[in-house]
Amino acid sequence: MDSSIQGTKVNSINIKVTDQQLRLLDEDGKLIKQYPVSTSKYGTGNENGSEQTPLGLHRIIVKLGGAMPVNEVFIGRVPHGNLDECIERGVDLPDDVIMSRIMWLEGMEPGRNKGGYVDTYQRYIYIHGTNHEEDIGTPSSIGCIRMCNQDIVELFRLVDVGTEVLIEE
């Protein structure tokens, strides 16, 4: 982990879809660190089934995988071993493999990203590691926010459940 940010209190996360960047901010709104990400190849939108990245204010509601090694594969939020082990065992993997860590998002704006047909949590929208690190920095996911595996491990250590996440164009 970057020693310059150890012990820094993260107040919020801002994800800019147009820049494909995730920014960590302190309580004064000052930039602590930023990471490249990949949002949806289908653009932005909040409707269930759209495979688009939802906009608006969210929070991290669940963090999963903290005790797992980097490159752990998750299927249905259950660890299955690293990618090579899964391939060797013939595990049926989706193209968009969820790896390393999961931070599950919950919308905070009723009617926009919370409740009904636009509920971010019910859509299983995560910030997570990926088997497609070569695509980070370009829109290429199916709704979630993908990060490089080492980056998601670092981010996971820096943020708490309840941290606000603003996703904007």
Side-chain angles (χ1 to χ4, degrees):
M1 182 178 351
D2 183 344
S3 62
S4 67
I5 57 176
Q6 283 182 328
T8 302
K9 178 66 175 140
V10 174
N11 187 58
S12 65
I13 293 172
N14 176 268
I15 298 169
K16 287 275 208 184
V17 173
T18 53
D19 298 343
Q20 296 295 294
Q21 292 287 315
L22 180 151
R23 293 172 177 88
L24 289 180
L25 306 172
D26 70 12
E27 58 264 355
D28 297 322
K30 287 178 35 183
L31 179 67
I32 298 169
K33 184 156 185 178
Q34 68 182 32
Y35 302 92
V37 297
S38 287
T39 59
S40 177
K41 61 185 169 186
Y42 303 110
T44 58
N46 294 26
E47 289 189 14
N48 188 27
S50 69
E51 296 187 342
Q52 296 174 316
T53 298
L55 296 173
L57 188 61
H58 299 81
R59 71 176 151 228
I60 297 168
I61 192 72
V62 176
K63 290 173 53 178
L64 300 166
M68 296 292 113
V70 176
N71 297 327
E72 183 74 19
V73 170
F74 292 87
I75 301 172
R77 294 163 306 283
V78 175
H80 279 72
N82 72 37
L83 189 58
D84 291 336
E85 292 169 347
C86 288
I87 291 168
E88 191 175 295
R89 290 194 325 264
V91 174
D92 186 24
L93 296 172
D95 179 55
D96 187 11
V97 178
I98 296 169
M99 295 177 60
S100 297
R101 303 290 183 272
I102 298 170
M103 292 186 288
W104 197 344
L105 300 180
E106 174 186 55
M108 295 176 64
E109 298 176 77
R112 182 176 190 199
N113 57 28
K114 184 176 181 69
Y117 202 63
V118 295
D119 196 277
T120 296
Y121 180 80
Q122 294 299 322
R123 290 181 58 202
Y124 301 97
I125 300 295
Y126 312 138
I127 302 171
H128 65 82
T130 182
N131 60 319
H132 293 293
E133 288 187 321
E134 71 280 2
D135 294 332
I136 297 297
T138 62
S140 57
S141 81
I142 52 172
C144 291
I145 292 90
R146 291 180 185 167
M147 296 182 72
C148 290
N149 292 295
Q150 289 292 344
D151 289 349
I152 189 69
V153 169
E154 180 176 274
L155 179 66
F156 191 93
R157 291 181 185 137
L158 293 171
V159 300
D160 298 320
V161 168
T163 298
E164 290 186 356
V165 179
L166 179 63
I167 305 173
E168 57 187 356
E169 292 285 347

